[in-house]
Amino acid sequence: MTSLPNASHDDSIDDFETLAVHAGPAPDPATGAVLPPVHQNTTYLQDGVGRDRGFTYSRCGNPTVSALELALGQLEAAPPAIAFSTGMAATTTLLLALCRAGDRVVCGDVVYGGTVRFLEKVLAGFGVRACFVDTSDLDAIRAALREPTRLVFLESPANPTLKLTDLEAVAAMARAAGAVTCVDNTFLTAALQRPLELGADLSLYSTTKFLEGHNATVGGAIVTRDSELAERIRFVRNTAGTIQAPWESWLTLRGIRTLSLRLERHSANALAVARFLESHPAVAEVHYPGLESFPQHQLAQRQQRSGGGVLAFLLRDELPGGALEAGKVLMASLRLWTLAENLGAVESLVTHPATMTHGTMDPDARRKAGLADGLVRLSAGIERGGDLIADLDRALALVTAKVEEVVR
Ligand code: PLP
């Protein structure tokens, strides 16, 4: 059961679908407005020197940002979250808050490219070492944790191979080694996976994706039940100026209202598309935790509510030009799937990780992590599943025709 302090409705809601609709503050006491007002405002009247009313300056806090934070915390039965201007602002603020020169971060070998870039190209310059490990391999994690480690940072499912990590096992190992665990839960959100319930210290989000869900904002958030960690992160956010803006917060809060509905549809569409691709002769591999053939399907069933809205696949290398060229033809031929660098929105999107989201990663490290040059990432939207499959079917037929043309 999750209680809803200050919430407008029943405070004993134990069903996530209902919680997501009602999470956040009660109707505005001044006007009765059911939705929280947007406090598009910089500074706040003080009743006397040192006598503020809880807000002083919007880099430090803002009522609309607080409304979003209350809701995000409630989704994970945690105190109010900490909201950031982007998902990367959440990651960078966390790393700055936790790490000192000489500290070591154990990071998943498949994570968002920007996270790798920050660790390797920025934080390394301040004496913080990052070691990239296959977090799906518990022996590899155990070995990595033999050296003193400040933070274990991972994604499950990982972007873009969808590889999973046993969150309960890794969080327990990290805790025993004196390290903090942060799970980037962007791909699933609390609707489908709760890292804190599995023992992680922090859940991190790019709210840009499923939480806001409409391709309208960029944003980030961290949820934790550890008040000391939260205080430290808030201090660095305040100092570095990485807080979310009021209007983006409001849009994200509105997105949360439909989170359950959307994720149900995203997941159903992704599963249908994954099944279609798996049976297509031009497709060599499909990565989707919801597929029975996915090597970690059982783990997915244990720690996720469903497979989520994102999948990836590889075309056959036997196609002339190889999987990469065939993938490019495919991406250019799709009509409903927009070629763009995002995921988790109502519109279906297609991305080429090797040149887009993970383009700045060292190519050898990228391939070693299983991120093939020809890998295509799909974010299934909420359109009718049959339409999405028909578009893929048509584009795959074009790829095959082009290939046949080349062969002739
Ligand atoms: N984490 C994951 C899993 C992502 O996919 C992304 C962006 O694609 C980020 C973090 C960074 O988020 P943002 O683009 O909001 O800064």
Side-chain angles (χ1 to χ4, degrees):
M1 185 182 82
T2 304
S3 74
L4 292 173
N6 312 319
S8 48
H9 297 266
D10 189 349
D11 72 350
S12 60
I13 292 168
D14 60 4
D15 185 87
F16 188 88
E17 283 81 353
T18 306
L19 176 64
V21 174
H22 295 284
D28 179 42
T31 62
V34 170
L35 288 180
V38 184
H39 292 267
Q40 190 67 54
N41 176 56
T42 308
T43 194
Y44 302 81
L45 166 78
Q46 309 211 2
D47 294 324
V49 175
R51 284 174 45 224
D52 62 64
R53 300 181 187 183
F55 294 96
T56 53
Y57 186 64
S58 284
R59 194 189 68 239
C60 317
N62 169 287
T64 316
V65 180
S66 296
L68 169 66
E69 293 179 333
L70 178 65
L72 284 169
Q74 286 167 343
L75 296 187
E76 295 187 57
I82 309 158
F84 296 89
S85 52
T86 63
M88 279 315 297
T91 304
T92 57
T93 305
L94 169 73
L95 290 167
L96 292 173
L98 283 185
C99 300
R100 300 278 167 280
D103 280 349
R104 180 165 172 272
V105 176
V106 168
C107 184
D109 61 347
V110 183
V111 291
Y112 173 60
T115 304
V116 178
R117 196 159 63 226
F118 187 74
L119 284 166
E120 286 189 329
K121 306 257 187 313
V122 181
L123 214 54
F126 294 86
V128 176
R129 285 175 307 136
C131 147
F132 295 92
V133 174
D134 178 358
T135 52
S136 70
D137 176 351
L138 295 183
D139 289 334
I141 280 274
R142 197 170 292 115
L145 287 171
R146 279 196 202 112
E147 260 188 72
T149 301
R150 180 75 182 115
L151 171 71
V152 175
F153 187 100
L154 60 95
E155 293 176 14
S156 182
N159 182 5
T161 62
L162 285 300
K163 180 170 70 172
L164 306 186
T165 293
D166 183 333
L167 299 184
E168 204 163 10
V170 169
M173 278 196 266
R175 189 163 298 243
V180 164
T181 304
C182 177
V183 177
D184 182 334
N185 198 30
T186 296
F187 270 35
L188 295 180
T189 79
L192 301 184
Q193 176 170 271
R194 318 262 163 78
L196 303 186
E197 283 173 15
L198 296 167
D201 301 283
L202 307 129
S203 316
L204 181 141
Y205 296 95
S206 166
T207 61
T208 311
K209 320 291 192 242
F210 292 101
L211 279 163
E212 189 274 311
H214 294 75
N215 261 328
T217 65
V218 286
I222 292 176
V223 185
T224 182
R225 294 173 185 162
D226 183 324
S227 55
E228 260 177 56
L229 274 179
E231 197 182 323
R232 177 86 199 132
I233 296 164
R234 276 184 195 280
F235 174 78
V236 176
R237 179 186 71 171
N238 185 3
T239 307
T242 50
I243 195 171
Q244 182 54 296
W247 179 229
E248 272 69 11
S249 296
W250 190 89
L251 287 169
T252 308
L253 185 58
R254 193 178 63 166
I256 290 172
R257 298 285 180 251
T258 56
L259 183 66
S260 288
L261 263 182
R262 283 186 288 109
L263 273 163
E264 243 176 73
R265 183 63 166 256
H266 284 298
S267 285
N269 279 350
L271 180 60
V273 167
R275 290 206 167 118
F276 162 75
L277 288 172
E278 196 175 37
S279 65
H280 198 285
V283 176
E285 285 171 24
V286 182
H287 304 240
Y288 184 63
L291 279 180
E292 290 76 7
S293 60
F294 187 73
Q296 296 171 297
H297 182 61
Q298 281 193 340
L299 177 58
Q301 285 191 308
R302 206 165 76 227
Q303 68 185 19
Q304 303 181 190
R305 245 186 168 187
S306 67
V310 184
L311 65 148
F313 69 99
L314 198 57
L315 290 172
R316 289 204 176 280
D317 228 3
E318 299 81 54
L319 300 172
L324 178 58
E325 286 311 311
K328 282 184 186 164
V329 175
L330 175 86
M331 285 181 267
S333 311
L334 288 165
R335 289 189 194 134
L336 270 182
W337 300 80
T338 304
L339 181 65
E341 214 165 300
N342 197 20
L343 59 93
V346 290
E347 301 90 359
S348 289
L349 300 176
V350 57
T351 304
H352 181 227
T355 57
M356 295 162 81
T357 49
H358 293 68
T360 55
M361 248 179 112
D362 170 59
D364 285 338
R366 202 171 58 216
R367 286 178 206 123
K368 211 169 134 228
L371 217 157
D373 287 348
L375 198 72
V376 176
R377 188 184 75 190
L378 296 177
S379 172
I382 61 165
E383 301 92 335
R384 202 175 69 85
D387 291 338
L388 296 177
I389 291 174
D391 192 35
L392 275 164
D393 199 21
R394 189 193 47 76
L396 282 167
L398 280 177
V399 171
T400 315
K402 276 235 163 33
V403 165
E404 278 162 6
E405 230 169 72
V406 176
V407 173
R408 272 205 306 273

